[in-house]
Amino acid sequence: MENAFIIKGGNKLKGSIKLSGAKNAALKIIIAALMFKNKVTIKNVPRIKDVEELIHLLTTLGAEVDFHDRHTLEIDGKGLKSNKVDLLHASKIRVSFMLFAPLLHKFSTCYVPNPGGCRIGARPIDRIIDGMKSLGIRIEYDSDTGFYYAQVKSKIQGYYKYPKVTHTGTELLIMLSVLGDDKVILDNTALEPEIDDLIRFLNLAGARIKQLGKKITILPVKELKQKDAFEINSDRNEAVTYASIATASKGEIMLSPIQPEILKTFTAKMKQIGAEVENIGKSLIRFGYAGPLKASSVQTSPHPGFMTDWQPCWAILMTQAKGESVIHERVFENRFSYVTELRKLGADIDFVKIPVKNPAEYFFFNFSPDKKYHQAIRIRGPQDLHGGVLNVADLRAGATLATAALIADGESVINGASIIERGYENFVEKVRSLGGEIKKL
Ligand code: EPZ
């Protein structure tokens, strides 16, 4: 059995972790860099599988993308020679659909596969396609080949209001508009901090993007030129994962660099359940176990709410908390793949139905009345967990199963280690540095 972690649980995990660059910022900034006139240098790029896959895809399209040192990437999009993203690569890296932006700017036409669904739901891009059409892009879908054909028909300009927020959807239309032909106004945009990083990256290169609440105005510029190397901010999802690992194992952890502001919803909940949280200076946070945890329910929502990416970690913490808690997932339609796995370790978790007055409004995915959804779980704790053989379905669920194994009594096997390594740099080394007993087969 390869591609598995063997974990022996039960240690109190303590120590300090230097966070890696944010996956969900790096991937888009690397794609946007292809639109620059000159070579682009990006620092603090995480060495994770998703980044490696994206780099491989960009080089097959003719771009030059190389690591200058361990975490500094140099990108030159001048050599782009193909306007067609192949199916195999697109199936390996979901954000490949964002290549609409650089390919349309370079070739005015492009072929991009439908990213399709994945383990956490159907994940259509209907809002994005509608947005592109509103901005003057002709786009057709060939259901036989699974490809979109897009063409800049006339000018890229106009107004688009997202029917519901979309994180990558906001980022893609920003990228498409910066080198457009006239003003673009995007309304009801997403607010994730990674979008701020993308806007900062583009504006430092001469773009004219203004964000006011959920409205973004973009005035077109002729070219984008990088002046100084750009540094990716650290990964808040990684921070939440390690804070959960330390607290659930009754240990403590120092995380840096991380701005407390972007984690404030999470840290507020951690304080609510009785964990210790201390902001030290501008970019260091200490999380620690300070006695029995109290159960507390969450419902997920886009930033600045409780992130959907954090709810799998929250589930583990709630198995160790006294009382009953409910997690209500509003953003994705299938984000509880870890539940059946945690039950194998003895967790007391049930799917529950929570009546929702207007589900089409309440959920952030495209709700369909004739579909069956499992959007809420109830957890009873505290529950001692024991080892088992677990299977990873998606990235954040994988980190949750690793956390469960680290606090369970005995040894566990986690199949699908590579899925965890898609989004967590040096996962084994970092867990070992906290005193975790983990090895990769
Ligand atoms: C981004 O996904 C992140 N991925 C996700 O992180 C994150 O959970 C999510 O934003 C929310 O912050 C990256 O940035 C690479 P959405 P994204 O578009 O942009 C539906 C991780 O683990 N929708 O905001 O795909 C969609 O299906 C990943 O790092 C449509 O129906 O999220 C989802 O249910 C997981 N039509 C909801 O909206 C559309 O056109 C929110 O999706 C677009 C989205």
Side-chain angles (χ1 to χ4, degrees):
M1 138 198 29
E2 42 93 33
N3 181 21
F5 288 140
I6 308 279
I7 292 176
K8 190 172 173 311
N11 300 350
K12 276 198 175 102
L13 301 181
K14 294 179 178 231
S16 302
I17 292 278
K18 183 182 175 312
L19 296 165
S20 297
K23 166 179 85 80
N24 292 346
L27 294 172
K28 294 67 167 274
I29 286 170
I30 291 169
I31 290 173
L34 296 172
M35 303 195 295
F36 282 46
K37 194 155 177 55
N38 60 344
K39 187 180 267 195
V40 177
T41 302
I42 304 170
K43 296 161 83 172
N44 199 28
V45 174
R47 298 304 294 261
I48 53 178
K49 287 197 180 333
D50 269 10
V51 167
E52 310 293 346
E53 279 298 342
L54 179 62
I55 290 170
H56 181 57
L57 165 55
L58 300 188
T59 44
T60 62
L61 294 173
E64 274 177 47
V65 193
D66 302 292
F67 274 102
H68 174 73
D69 64 31
R70 179 96 186 112
H71 292 109
T72 303
L73 199 57
E74 288 180 346
I75 299 159
D76 190 338
K78 266 200 293 303
L80 272 179
K81 58 183 183 302
S82 166
N83 72 339
K84 182 165 186 175
V85 179
D86 74 64
L87 268 175
L88 176 69
H89 284 116
S91 65
K92 289 187 176 175
I93 177 78
R94 177 180 163 75
V95 291
S96 54
F97 78 88
M98 301 182 81
L99 283 164
F100 275 123
L103 296 180
L104 283 175
H105 280 297
K106 179 98 183 176
F107 302 104
S108 300
T109 64
C110 68
Y111 296 84
V112 173
N114 179 348
C118 72
R119 304 279 191 177
I120 56 177
R123 296 183 83 177
I125 58 169
D126 53 309
R127 299 168 204 165
I128 298 160
I129 300 301
D130 292 348
M132 288 167 75
K133 287 177 181 169
S134 310
L135 300 185
I137 291 162
R138 182 173 142 238
I139 191 157
E140 287 147 14
Y141 181 59
D142 180 343
S143 52
D144 294 338
T145 63
F147 270 83
Y148 284 102
Y149 169 73
Q151 181 191 15
V152 181
K153 214 172 43 206
S154 53
K155 295 181 155 203
I156 293 183
Q157 61 181 0
Y159 172 84
Y160 179 64
K161 180 169 185 170
Y162 296 88
K164 288 184 180 179
V165 294
T166 159
H167 181 163
T168 46
T170 298
E171 293 164 326
L172 177 52
L173 297 191
I174 289 173
M175 287 187 212
L176 273 166
S177 308
V178 289
L179 293 171
D181 302 280
D182 209 330
K183 184 194 285 193
V184 167
I185 296 177
L186 303 175
D187 205 346
N188 192 29
T189 58
L191 296 168
E192 271 76 10
E194 293 79 17
I195 299 172
D196 302 341
D197 292 346
L198 175 67
I199 291 174
R200 192 161 51 85
F201 171 66
L202 293 168
N203 279 346
L204 284 170
R208 297 160 69 193
I209 308 165
K210 268 203 176 28
Q211 186 173 22
L212 201 63
K214 299 185 83 170
K215 190 173 268 192
I216 292 176
T217 304
I218 302 132
L219 295 175
V221 293
K222 281 280 157 269
E223 66 178 30
L224 295 168
K225 272 188 92 155
Q226 186 181 50
K227 298 175 185 69
D228 305 304
F230 183 84
E231 179 150 351
I232 302 275
N233 270 329
S234 56
D235 195 315
R236 60 200 176 110
N237 291 337
E238 186 187 26
V240 165
T241 299
Y242 286 108
S244 307
I245 286 176
T247 308
S249 70
K250 299 191 174 64
E252 69 167 346
I253 195 166
M254 308 280 258
L255 295 169
S256 68
I258 185 87
Q259 299 129 340
E261 180 56 25
I262 63 172
L263 279 190
K264 70 176 194 272
T265 307
F266 177 72
T267 46
K269 287 299 287 185
M270 287 292 268
K271 287 175 186 167
Q272 218 178 60
I273 65 171
E276 228 165 45
V277 182
E278 188 187 357
N279 294 339
I280 303 167
K282 285 208 298 291
S283 65
L284 191 143
I285 303 183
R286 186 180 69 80
F287 289 92
Y289 182 78
L293 299 176
K294 294 185 292 294
S296 175
S297 296
V298 293
Q299 61 169 308
T300 65
S301 60
H303 189 79
F306 193 94
M307 292 296 294
T308 170
D309 299 333
W310 304 341
Q311 61 91 334
C313 302
W314 196 254
I316 287 295
L317 285 165
M318 290 304 100
T319 64
Q320 305 306 302
K322 186 171 171 20
E324 192 172 284
S325 58
V326 169
I327 295 179
H328 202 177
E329 172 59 51
R330 301 175 61 190
V331 178
F332 285 103
E333 55 189 290
N334 180 17
R335 197 139 206 204
F336 289 118
S337 66
Y338 58 85
V339 169
T340 45
E341 300 304 302
L342 290 187
R343 281 180 182 149
K344 292 179 188 172
L345 307 189
D348 181 351
I349 305 185
D350 299 300
F351 282 100
V352 290
K353 269 258 164 268
I354 297 188
V356 170
K357 243 205 317 292
N358 187 346
E361 290 301 308
Y362 180 79
F363 292 113
F364 290 92
F365 51 82
N366 300 339
F367 179 82
S368 137
D370 47 20
K371 252 177 104 173
K372 231 169 119 30
Y373 294 95
H374 299 290
Q375 294 305 122
I377 57 174
R378 179 189 55 217
I379 302 165
R380 290 192 181 96
Q383 190 75 45
D384 290 337
L385 302 180
H386 53 74
V389 178
L390 304 170
N391 299 303
V392 173
D394 63 81
L395 172 60
R396 305 302 171 189
T400 285
L401 298 181
T403 308
L406 286 165
I407 62 171
D409 184 20
E411 199 164 75
S412 297
V413 174
I414 299 190
N415 293 311
S418 60
I419 298 175
I420 297 174
E421 291 169 329
R422 271 189 43 213
Y424 292 92
E425 181 177 25
N426 295 337
F427 185 73
V428 170
E429 293 79 359
K430 289 184 178 181
V431 167
R432 278 197 186 139
S433 75
L434 298 173
E437 292 185 55
I438 177 172
K439 61 175 184 281
K440 184 176 176 187
L441 286 183

